[in-house]
């Protein structure tokens, strides 16, 4: 069980990073002790801002010796409280933001090495400068950092084509709990030498060690892109259209995002400059993107033809194809602003869940029935990455309802929603992780053998339990 640090240890930790690389006043540490959703308000005696891997190693070896909890902190965009220290006030926060160098880009190898504190947007931009694509793409990319993206195995809007963060990593540099450095920044596509150790740290949310740098996969830049916003009547029509698109365009189908009409209405209402480009409102909207590195692909013609055939078959009701980059960007702004519009609209209950793609219509139907029965003060706003089987099955507080009674519905609704997701063969956390928010439910629902293996790994790599205590795994 981690302990509270004494003054001598705090002095030693400050000395490990040197002048102006630590914060301790209440005002200075405030941004590091509350999570993005303001669900948790913790405390810390010290925020450390190391500049390199050696400093991180020194910090962890001190904390391990003294049994002090360490909370790695990236862009603080976690929805699950994964980067927030607890309320007891003894955990040190390790901010990664100064480890933000792009160490290497190798265009011929289609790989790059970046440090954990680079934001996702900086990483994408560095790849673009070398005429390469780093394809992870998500709404918070200007703030979220690569270390956090790796630690939560982030997903986003291009998973259909490129996979999640785990699929995009070739090698990692990790500082283990005892301060040893695992130097695994290989750029190999093939490497069958024993266990895939790096994979353990992806999705571990900083509970096994601190990722300090990563070798990432790059791809050719798209040279042809076609984007459309499509109106449909039923979620089943989304699946029919996805199948049609995949037959026509294979893995050029890059994004396939579903939004209910209410999500579009809230976004148009709350986000300046956002408009609904369809002539008639439909119950559901799809944002579709095809992309290819081949400029001769003529994807706009391909997409137009596929949508026309779908319209003739009665699968879609309306569609707008982007005829300029500006129009495509406006469609993406509509989709990416949904969470912010929901936030401005009022309180919300969030469920980041996944099911097999074919079960999406059943999830929507049965999940909506649960919301009507168990949270009648809320409206269903279930949107997200339909092509991946991942919906953010969110519920927005109805106007003029009491916020307290709405929020009080959360726990019962969540249990019922998770039961439903499990009955459909799905996951209670698709892309946002477990953090502190879902640790208890995860412990209750996980396969016992798998959970035991996770605890055994935790004990092997972090026997004193100093790494991000209370996240992912509940203490046993
Ligand atoms: C999204 O897909 O927009 C996010 O993962 C979910 C959110 O921010 O609520
Ligand atoms: Zn998402």
């Amino acid at each position: 069980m981690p302990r509270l640090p004494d003054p001598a240890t705090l002095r030693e930790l400050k000395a490990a990073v040197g002048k102006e690389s630590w914060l301790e006043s209440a005002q200075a540490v405030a941004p590091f002790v509350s999570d993005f959703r303001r669900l948790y308000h913790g405390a810390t005696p010290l925020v450390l801002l190391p500049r390199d891997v050696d400093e991180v190693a020194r910090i962890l070896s001190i904390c391990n010796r003294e049994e002090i909890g360490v909370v790695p902190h990236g862009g603080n965009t976690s929805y699950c409280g994964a980067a927030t220290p607890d309320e007891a006030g003894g955990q040190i926060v390790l901010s990664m933001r100064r480890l933000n160098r792009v160490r290497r880009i190798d265009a011929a190898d289609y790989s790059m090495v970046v440090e954990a504190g680079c934001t996702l947007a900086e990483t994408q931009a560095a790849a673009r400068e070398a005429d390469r694509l780093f394809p992870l793409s998500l709404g918070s990319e200007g703030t979220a950092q690569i270390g956090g993206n790796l630690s939560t195995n982030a997903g986003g809007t291009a998973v259909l084509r490129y996979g999640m963060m785990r699929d995009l990593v070739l090698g990692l540099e990790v500082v283990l709990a005892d301060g040893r450095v695992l130097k695994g920044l290989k750029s190999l596509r093939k490497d069958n030498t024993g266990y895939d150790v790096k994979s353990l740290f992806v999705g571990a949310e900083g509970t096994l060690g601190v990722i300090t740098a990563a070798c990432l996969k790059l791809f050719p830049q798209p040279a042809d892109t076609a984007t459309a916003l499509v109106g449909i009547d039923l979620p089943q029509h989304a699946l029919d259209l996805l199948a049609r698109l995949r037959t026509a365009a294979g893995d050029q189908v890059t994004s396939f995002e579903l939004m209910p009409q209410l999500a579009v209405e809230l976004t148009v209402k709350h986000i300046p400059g956002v408009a609904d480009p369809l002539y008639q409102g439909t119950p559901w909207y799809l944002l579709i993107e095809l992309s290819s590195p081949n400029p001769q692909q003529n994807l706009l013609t391909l997409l137009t033809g596929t949508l026309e055939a779908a319209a003739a078959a009665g699968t879609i009701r309306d569609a707008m194809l982007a005829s300029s980059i500006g129009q495509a960007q406006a469609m993406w702004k509509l989709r990416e602003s949904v969470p912010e519009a929901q936030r401005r609209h009022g309180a919300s209950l969030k469920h980041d869940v996944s099911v097999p793609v074919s079960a999406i219509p059943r999830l929507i139907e049965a999940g909506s029935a649960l919301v009507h029965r168990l949270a009648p003060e809320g409206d269903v706003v279930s949107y997200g990455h339909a092509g991946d089987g991942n919906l953010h099955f969110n519920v927005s507080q109805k106007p003029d309802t009491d916020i307290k009674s709405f929020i009080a519905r959360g726990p019962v609704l969540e249990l019922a929603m998770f039961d439903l997701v499990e009955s459909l063969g799905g996951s209670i956390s698709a892309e946002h992780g477990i953090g502190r928010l879902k640790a208890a439910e995860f412990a209750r629902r996980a396969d016992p053998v798998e959970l035991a293996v996770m605890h055994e790994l935790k004990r092997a790599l972090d026997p004193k339990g100093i790494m991000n205590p209370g996240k992912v795994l509940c203490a046993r």
Side-chain angles (χ1 to χ4, degrees), residues 27-46:
Q27 196 188 4
V29 306
F32 298 88
V33 296
S34 288
D35 68 304
F36 176 75
R37 291 175 66 191
R38 301 280 180 267
L39 296 176
Y40 302 107
H41 302 281
T44 184
L46 190 62

Side-chain angles (χ1 to χ4, degrees), residues 179-262:
R180 283 178 298 162
V181 181
L182 189 156
K183 295 182 180 155
L185 288 173
K186 294 178 182 172
S187 64
L188 301 175
R189 310 281 156 157
K190 288 191 159 184
D191 178 18
N192 275 351
T193 49
Y195 303 148
D196 184 10
V197 174
K198 71 172 179 314
S199 204
L200 289 176
F201 299 93
V202 180
E205 301 182 31
T207 59
L208 298 179
V210 179
I211 295 171
T212 48
C215 183
L216 303 174
K217 271 186 203 168
L218 299 179
F219 294 81
Q221 273 287 343
D224 186 6
T225 302
T227 310
L229 197 70
V230 175
I232 58 173
D233 285 320
L234 297 169
Q236 180 58 44
H237 290 165
L239 300 191
D240 299 344
L241 181 59
L242 181 59
R244 205 179 264 281
L245 282 164
R246 292 186 109 170
T247 302
D251 70 1
Q252 296 173 125
V253 186
T254 309
S255 300
F256 193 82
E257 301 282 310
L258 181 70
M259 293 173 282
Q261 188 170 17
L262 181 57

Side-chain angles (χ1 to χ4, degrees), residues 338-370:
V338 174
E340 177 59 16
Q342 248 204 312
R343 200 185 62 76
R344 292 188 193 181
H345 189 64
S348 55
L349 307 171
K350 289 179 184 280
H351 310 92
D352 163 44
V353 295
S354 65
V355 292
V357 178
S358 58
I360 287 232
R362 269 181 293 155
L363 173 66
I364 291 174
E365 193 188 338
S368 304
L370 287 178

Side-chain angles (χ1 to χ4, degrees), residues 303-337:
L303 184 54
T304 308
T306 310
L307 293 179
E308 278 169 3
T315 303
I316 71 172
R317 189 130 73 78
D318 197 359
M320 167 69 103
L321 282 123
S323 57
S324 67
I325 293 176
Q327 274 186 358
Q329 283 171 343
M331 289 175 184
W332 274 109
K333 183 164 180 194
L334 170 66
R335 160 62 185 93
E336 286 182 338
S337 304

